[in-house]
Amino acid sequence: MITFIFVTKRLLFDMRRDVFQAIADPVRRDIIGLLSNEPLTVNMVAENFEISRPAISKHLKILKECDIIDIDKQGREIYCIIKPEKLVPVFFWIEQYRKLWEEKIDSFEHYLNELQSKNK
Amino acid sequence: MITFIFVTKRLLFDMRRDVFQAIADPVRRDIIGLLSNEPLTVNMVAENFEISRPAISKHLKILKECDIIDIDKQGREIYCIIKPEKLVPVFFWIEQYRKLWEEKIDSFEHYLNELQSKNK
DNA sequence: TATTTGTGTAACCGAATGATTACATTTATA
DNA sequence: TATAAATGTAATCATTCGGTTACACAAATA
């Protein structure tokens, strides 16, 4: 019985649940955008999209599992509150490549400048 | 016949292919990390992972489709070259929430300082 | 108390993901 | 030229994703 529960849990929770997964979907990025202004109930979030409310519920569930949002139950309404600090790992991951792309963009601009001065 | 080709193309290319999708997978993030040091051949990339070479080939294909890497064919070897500037949209997306998380972290630090001074 | 409202979730579906093995193709080399 | 090496890809598989509709349930309200 214990084994059964364990296996079930493993199957149910073996999916990747990290912030990179959370922001991979455009709908979830939009939800994050909405919640960054103010906490919203599930229905208020859903109003901003064409897809069904249960679909939004599922996206919110994934955001919860990735710990990007907290919930605050007020009676029968559930407010979703963003935890912006959970995005920081993405910032650090991307930041480590900043030097790389700045070099590349700089060298491209340098190339353009060279080209322009030659054509004068 | 034309219809058939069209439908096939649509089915084959309807998947999300953007930089957020590219970095959603941990293996692909590691590949980006490797390639940020130097261009590597497919086999050289694959040596760094436990999974099969075809699996790596597929990840590289996705990175190509997301335009994160370029390829440089040298005889029978294919070098993968990173295009770090393609990560910039992620940087801008995440950067817009910086103020939000800094405020939150600041207020938490303020709270800790208050707590500490009261316990003196 | 009966009903409406806000929300979650189960069942289902088609497509994508991420892996495998087996095979094809091109290029270098013995 | 025969073989080895580097790579891509087809076929297959189990799982996840992202959506739907239908239903359940608790809380507010008429």
Side-chain angles (χ1 to χ4, degrees), chain A residues 17 21 25 28 52 55 58-59 75-76:
Chain A
R17 284 296 183 247
Q21 187 62 21
D25 186 88
R28 286 197 293 272
S52 69
K58 279 176 156 195
H59 281 301
R76 63 184 165 184

Side-chain angles (χ1 to χ4, degrees), chain B residues 56-106:
Chain B
I56 296 294
S57 256
K58 281 177 154 193
H59 281 302
L60 290 173
K61 193 180 180 188
I62 291 175
L63 288 173
K64 258 179 276 173
E65 286 168 2
C66 296
D67 204 29
I68 305 294
I69 62 174
D70 266 343
I71 61 164
D72 176 24
K73 200 169 177 187
Q74 300 274 353
R76 64 184 163 184
E77 292 181 326
I78 291 179
Y79 280 84
C80 303
I81 304 157
I82 194 155
K83 301 169 80 172
E85 73 278 15
K86 298 293 176 169
L87 298 174
V88 173
V90 181
F91 176 79
F92 281 126
W93 185 83
I94 205 79
E95 178 72 12
Q96 69 182 319
Y97 299 111
R98 169 203 281 278
K99 204 172 182 178
L100 224 56
W101 78 60
E102 279 182 349
E103 277 168 14
K104 182 146 179 184
I105 291 166
D106 284 354

